[in-house]
Amino acid sequence: MRSLRQGAQRASIRIRLAATPAAATIAFLAVVIAGIASPAPVAAASPPFPTAEALELKLVNCTRTGGWVLASGACSGYGTGRYSRYVAPLKLSAGLSNVARGRAKWLAVRNRCSHGDVGARLRNAGYTSGWYGENIGCGSGYRAVAAVIAFHRMMQAEKSTNGPHWKNIKNSTYRYIGIGVWKYNGRTRLVTDFYRP
């Protein structure tokens, strides 16, 4: 299995959006790593931002299936392959969501925006190997739902450059997704962990 130190794809984008409340800022990170195994069943922790997490699942699957997420958060062309090639939608994993949510909380509380050791977090949760990737969105001055839409649209905009966030979202290898959203002291963090056994 490749680790972050062995050349996995990483990217960081920091953006200040002047047109948003409180001059909100956004940052994004992506990582793609390869290996092999199956997800361990894990009970779901009760998410503090269930609406935002459910929305992210819809947005990711909109983009995966060839739709396009609009500024309102609505999906144009779900399942049509109209805006990009169709890729099967991801299934939400409670166990992966626990991992993603824990990382989102850690990042928000510490005011950080970094991947750290994705592989170690997954292994500690029973995902001992496999194909996996992670996208992170970091911002401040947003409500959770608005942040998720803004983060996703910025990642979706990487289509023209085939950027790492876009690659993770469109990677047909992945079958499952874990989604974590956390807000703390005005900061919002979104972590999406992609996985294939």
Side-chain angles (χ1 to χ4, degrees):
M1 178 181 306
R2 293 170 19 181
S3 72
L4 292 175
R5 290 178 199 80
Q6 295 171 319
Q9 293 182 355
R10 290 191 281 180
S12 176
I13 302 170
R14 295 191 183 274
I15 300 169
R16 180 172 294 279
L17 301 177
T20 57
T25 57
I26 302 176
F28 302 96
L29 299 172
V31 65
V32 181
I33 304 188
I36 308 173
S38 63
V42 178
S46 179
F49 300 97
T51 303
E53 290 181 7
L55 176 62
E56 175 62 3
L57 178 63
K58 290 178 184 177
L59 301 182
V60 167
N61 282 333
C62 170
T63 302
R64 275 182 72 85
T65 64
W68 194 257
V69 175
L70 307 176
S72 65
C75 178
S76 175
Y78 185 98
T80 64
R82 183 180 342 157
Y83 299 94
S84 62
R85 77 178 164 83
Y86 177 91
V87 178
L90 294 168
K91 296 175 185 170
L92 184 65
S93 163
L96 287 172
S97 292
N98 285 342
V99 175
R101 198 171 297 121
R103 184 63 179 176
K105 179 179 180 180
W106 189 92
L107 293 170
V109 170
R110 288 166 179 79
N111 194 21
R112 302 280 303 276
C113 190
S114 63
H115 290 285
D117 192 339
V118 180
R121 287 195 308 276
L122 291 172
R123 284 188 302 276
N124 289 340
Y127 299 86
T128 56
S129 62
W131 290 87
Y132 59 92
E134 181 174 82
N135 286 352
I136 295 177
C138 304
S140 57
Y142 283 94
R143 293 184 178 160
V145 167
V148 165
I149 294 168
F151 297 154
H152 186 83
R153 284 180 45 83
M154 292 303 298
M155 293 178 195
Q156 174 182 258
E158 289 182 1
K159 175 186 177 190
S160 62
T161 61
N162 201 30
H165 303 96
W166 174 261
K167 285 181 184 178
N168 274 344
I169 292 168
K170 293 296 286 186
N171 189 329
S172 62
T173 300
Y174 301 135
R175 299 288 183 262
Y176 300 95
I177 188 170
I179 300 169
V181 174
W182 205 271
K183 272 190 78 68
Y184 180 82
N185 202 23
R187 299 184 291 267
T188 305
R189 299 297 183 260
L190 166 68
V191 176
T192 52
D193 288 328
F194 303 89
Y195 193 81
R196 187 205 78 181

